[in-house]
Amino acid sequence: MQSIKFTLVAAVLAAASLGGAAHAQALRPTLTLDTAKKIAAGCEERARKEGWPMIVAVVDVGGQLKYYSRMDDSIGISVGLAQSKAATSASLPVSTRKFREIARNNALGLELTRGTSTVAGGLPVMAGGKHIGGVGVSGGSEDQDEVCAQAGLDAARDLLK
């Protein structure tokens, strides 16, 4: 009987301590599906306004695809490129344009790192000053891609506070 009481008390204490840890983890901002969709919608809205058929990839901080959209008439080569841009800006809290500058000024061959892109159009997703993911847009010029990615972040600004 004493053993059962001890086991029960230990189980209750363990559960209570896990609840606190889970709560502390929940306080760290994460990229939600709603936020990823809002980012993509903002990108698409700007692209439609300009007549640019774009592909949008939004990934979490681990580089895992959270949301993806491909507008009609977008080009196939941009599928992988959008994801690569997003993953690059999810791995480092910098734009892919900035990553290109860093790579050019560094003799380590950073631009050859698998899964990264030095093509502009990838931007980090930040929430409350924390890096939570990346957005990559492809289908136009580098400047057009970057404009659309920024439009997506601007559209989700209220969710990224």
Side-chain angles (χ1 to χ4, degrees):
M1 184 69 168
Q2 188 71 342
S3 163
I4 293 172
K5 284 183 182 177
F6 176 76
T7 303
L8 183 58
V9 169
V12 168
L13 289 174
S17 69
L18 288 176
H23 177 70
Q25 289 178 358
L27 296 177
R28 185 185 186 288
T30 59
L31 180 64
T32 65
L33 180 58
D34 285 343
T35 301
K37 284 180 177 181
K38 194 159 187 181
I39 291 169
C43 292
E44 290 175 10
E45 182 180 334
R46 180 62 188 262
R48 266 191 296 281
K49 178 182 168 191
E50 301 292 345
W52 303 328
M54 296 292 193
I55 295 174
V56 180
V58 183
V59 302
D60 64 20
V61 76
Q64 298 300 309
L65 192 60
K66 190 75 171 189
Y67 192 80
Y68 171 84
S69 72
R70 181 176 181 191
M71 296 174 68
D72 293 339
D73 299 321
S74 58
I75 56 176
I77 196 169
S78 293
V79 171
L81 193 50
Q83 291 180 46
S84 177
K85 291 177 182 185
T88 300
S89 287
S91 297
L92 300 166
V94 298
S95 69
T96 50
R97 185 181 299 270
K98 181 68 176 172
F99 180 66
R100 177 171 54 210
E101 292 172 21
I102 293 167
R104 280 187 180 156
N105 295 323
N106 191 317
L108 298 177
L110 291 175
E111 72 280 1
L112 302 176
T113 303
R114 184 176 178 192
T116 63
S117 176
T118 58
V119 181
L123 297 176
V125 177
M126 307 294 286
K130 303 287 186 193
H131 184 212
I132 64 166
V135 55
V137 180
S138 188
S141 70
E142 287 184 294
D143 290 338
Q144 292 168 343
D145 295 350
E146 200 167 60
V147 162
C148 284
Q150 186 61 57
L153 294 175
D154 292 345
R157 185 174 297 146
D158 60 324
L159 298 175
L160 295 171
K161 291 180 181 177

